[in-house]
Amino acid sequence: MSRVIYNKDMKQKEIICILGGSGFVGTELCAHLIKEGYGIKVVSRNVLNCRHLLIFPALSVHQIQNYSTDQIAKHLNGCTTLINLIGILNERKNNGKQFHEVHVGITRSALQACEQTNVTRMLQMSALNADPNGPSYYLQSKGKAENYLMAFSKDRVNVTIFKPSVIFGPKDSFLNRFANLLKVFPIAFPLACADARFAPVYVGDIVKSMTESIHDKATFNESYNLCGPDIYTLKQLVEYTAKLCGISCRVICLPMFLSKLQASIFEYLPGKPFSKDNYKSLKIDSVCPEGNTCDTSLEAIAPMYLAKKSALNLDRFRSVRR
């Protein structure tokens, strides 16, 4: 199944193929690339998840059976760049197999598809602290994918890897997730790994960096850490989220053994809000060693979307009072 919508009046510079284009970052990236005049081909196994993208001009959605080299190569015809955004935060079983299949396997297939079709440019979304020897399966698989690209892409495909800290924006799965969890624990919120540190980076800064890198030869075969201008502990981020949502809640910092226990329990809840692998990832602070690389602050953006949740809560309260 494939649906194509093109704005014939738009002068397209070139067509860019995106894997994982239906997600939070992918949606923002599609909008930004189209604004810059690019045509977009989004390739997905589930085109229904891409329906919201069809409002964009110069964008087509194509269904793929699987992410094998041959299947990806079929959709690279006419494209000059491949962007791989596919990633998962949790896996079905806690053994690292699915992380490896998604992060390493699809990355390998994507690079080989580029080589097979003579697509010479590839952008890869990774993660800060990605390391084959990292503490979690998530970070290990991301690190192995990076190593594979850097080892086998030279002289054939020019690769740039982006390694962000936690990403925030209107549709993020970080602050919004805590906002939803705070509704479940509105009085006292038990927080695991409360002292873990982050340098949240705005999704708009990420997609701008990716877009600007496409033809910038200085970025070829390089990787970049992406961090926002300020560092927060997880506790500070949850307290700030509660404040913006209008929730008076005491954050209870759990010791490490209870944090691990919470992870063991929460990974069996619907949506898997916290897992043992997440717990292991939080053992390393998600901050850039060289300092911030992006300028947009959390305080400049988060109130615009989290405050809406507060307004909704007030509306519900008023309806009950009546």
Side-chain angles (χ1 to χ4, degrees):
M1 177 178 178
S2 176
R3 182 174 178 184
V4 181
I5 295 181
Y6 281 118
N7 182 343
K8 295 181 180 179
D9 296 328
M10 174 176 276
K11 294 181 180 179
Q12 298 170 15
K13 296 178 180 178
E14 55 194 81
I15 306 294
I16 295 177
C17 180
I18 301 180
L19 306 180
S22 65
F24 165 50
V25 176
T27 300
E28 294 289 334
L29 182 59
C30 286
H32 192 77
L33 288 169
I34 289 169
K35 184 179 179 181
E36 293 298 313
Y38 291 95
I40 306 296
K41 180 185 286 188
V42 174
V43 176
S44 174
R45 286 191 298 184
N46 190 341
V47 295
L48 293 179
N49 290 341
C50 303
R51 287 176 296 180
H52 65 287
L53 297 175
L54 294 175
I55 63 171
F56 293 132
L59 183 146
S60 60
V61 174
H62 302 260
Q63 189 166 41
I64 192 170
Q65 294 179 1
N66 56 65
Y67 291 107
S68 65
T69 299
D70 291 342
Q71 284 290 312
I72 296 174
K74 288 180 181 179
H75 295 283
L76 288 180
N77 183 42
C79 298
T80 58
T81 300
L82 173 63
I83 301 178
N84 180 26
L85 301 176
I86 294 178
I88 57 174
L89 292 175
N90 289 299
E91 58 181 356
R92 288 185 292 271
K93 297 181 180 180
N94 190 30
N95 58 13
K97 183 177 179 180
Q98 190 180 12
F99 278 127
H100 188 276
E101 290 175 351
V102 173
H103 295 153
V104 183
I106 294 177
T107 295
R108 182 186 295 116
S109 295
L111 180 62
Q112 292 174 350
C114 286
E115 295 171 344
Q116 186 172 309
T117 56
N118 296 318
V119 171
T120 59
R121 190 72 174 107
M122 179 176 172
L123 308 186
Q124 171 87 351
M125 178 64 77
S126 187
L128 198 61
N129 296 326
D131 184 344
N133 299 311
S136 66
Y137 290 129
Y138 172 80
L139 293 175
Q140 290 170 17
S141 60
K142 285 286 191 178
K144 290 175 182 177
E146 289 184 18
N147 284 359
Y148 179 84
L149 287 176
M150 289 305 185
F152 294 101
S153 66
K154 294 178 181 179
D155 301 325
R156 293 176 290 182
V157 181
N158 295 309
V159 172
T160 304
I161 299 171
F162 297 87
K163 301 156 61 77
S165 180
V166 64
I167 305 171
F168 70 90
K171 299 293 183 180
D172 69 51
S173 59
F174 185 66
L175 296 183
N176 280 305
R177 174 173 291 187
F178 281 114
N180 292 330
L181 286 172
L182 284 163
K183 296 175 186 176
V184 181
F185 303 96
I187 299 175
F189 188 88
L191 182 63
C193 306
D195 293 329
R197 298 193 308 155
F198 299 86
V201 57
Y202 178 46
V203 65
D205 289 340
I206 292 175
V207 301
K208 181 181 179 183
S209 296
M210 296 184 80
T211 302
E212 291 177 347
S213 75
I214 292 173
H215 294 291
D216 184 356
K217 293 183 179 180
T219 69
F220 290 3
N221 304 312
E222 298 287 347
S223 64
Y224 295 93
N225 294 332
L226 297 176
C227 287
D230 302 300
I231 295 174
Y232 310 81
T233 64
L234 186 57
K235 179 185 178 182
Q236 289 173 325
L237 289 171
V238 173
E239 289 177 335
Y240 182 58
T241 300
K243 178 181 177 181
L244 292 179
C245 292
I247 299 174
S248 298
C249 177
R250 180 189 175 192
V251 176
I252 301 174
C253 303
L254 299 179
M256 294 309 289
F257 77 95
L258 287 180
S259 295
K260 188 175 183 179
L261 177 61
Q262 186 188 73
S264 300
I265 297 171
F266 274 35
E267 70 177 3
Y268 292 103
L269 297 180
K272 214 168 190 177
F274 189 50
S275 69
K276 287 185 286 187
D277 203 72
N278 298 152
Y279 164 77
K280 293 176 181 177
S281 292
L282 290 176
K283 290 182 177 181
I284 303 178
D285 289 337
S286 185
V287 299
C288 292
E290 68 275 16
N292 70 290
T293 53
C294 299
D295 297 326
T296 306
S297 70
L298 185 71
E299 290 79 6
I301 303 295
M304 292 189 288
Y305 62 97
L306 290 180
K308 292 181 180 179
K309 294 181 181 292
S310 175
L312 289 174
N313 289 336
L314 288 173
D315 288 342
R316 294 191 188 99
F317 176 75
R318 294 189 188 102
S319 66
V320 171
R321 294 285 291 178
R322 289 176 189 148

